[in-house]
Amino acid sequence: MWRLLSGITGTSLLEESDNAQRRTNWHNFLIANDFWMYDVLQEYKRKSGRETSARDADIEEFDLTDFRLVFAAKRRINKIAFTSQQAAD
């Protein structure tokens, strides 16, 4: 996702090797570009042996965010993007 946002905006978001500095840069980028991020899952558990997997298919237990509450609180939302089709569904 950060590579895609870097390409769209022409901003380098992956240069820093220090995780804390990279997170600070990401945070500042989101604020400067009026982006807001929210997790689709409030809590989740990955399948045994797949705890470090990034694949949605490896999630077996989860609690979804109630986006009706999010949208009611954040009325200025005019576009929504997801990092996977499963999250969008």
Side-chain angles (χ1 to χ4, degrees):
M1 177 189 74
W2 295 109
R3 185 169 288 122
L4 176 67
L5 289 173
S6 291
I8 291 169
T9 62
T11 306
S12 180
L13 297 169
L14 300 169
E15 282 184 4
E16 296 292 334
S17 59
D18 176 79
N19 283 340
Q21 184 60 52
R22 190 168 34 237
R23 291 177 107 169
T24 297
N25 290 351
W26 293 346
H27 178 79
N28 292 339
F29 170 83
L30 294 172
I31 291 170
N33 290 281
D34 204 22
F35 286 140
W36 180 67
M37 295 176 74
Y38 211 90
D39 288 325
V40 171
L41 302 180
Q42 287 300 297
E43 294 185 36
Y44 65 92
K45 179 181 174 189
R46 296 214 179 259
K47 295 176 182 175
S48 180
R50 305 296 298 165
E51 291 85 2
T52 60
S53 170
R55 296 180 60 225
D56 289 347
D58 291 329
I59 297 171
E60 64 180 358
E61 296 176 27
F62 55 88
D63 289 324
L64 291 171
T65 296
D66 186 345
F67 276 98
R68 293 171 295 190
L69 299 174
V70 173
F71 297 150
K74 304 288 183 184
R75 297 186 186 274
R76 265 186 24 155
I77 297 172
N78 59 24
K79 291 184 179 136
I80 300 173
F82 297 92
T83 57
S84 73
Q85 184 60 50
Q86 188 168 351
D89 292 344

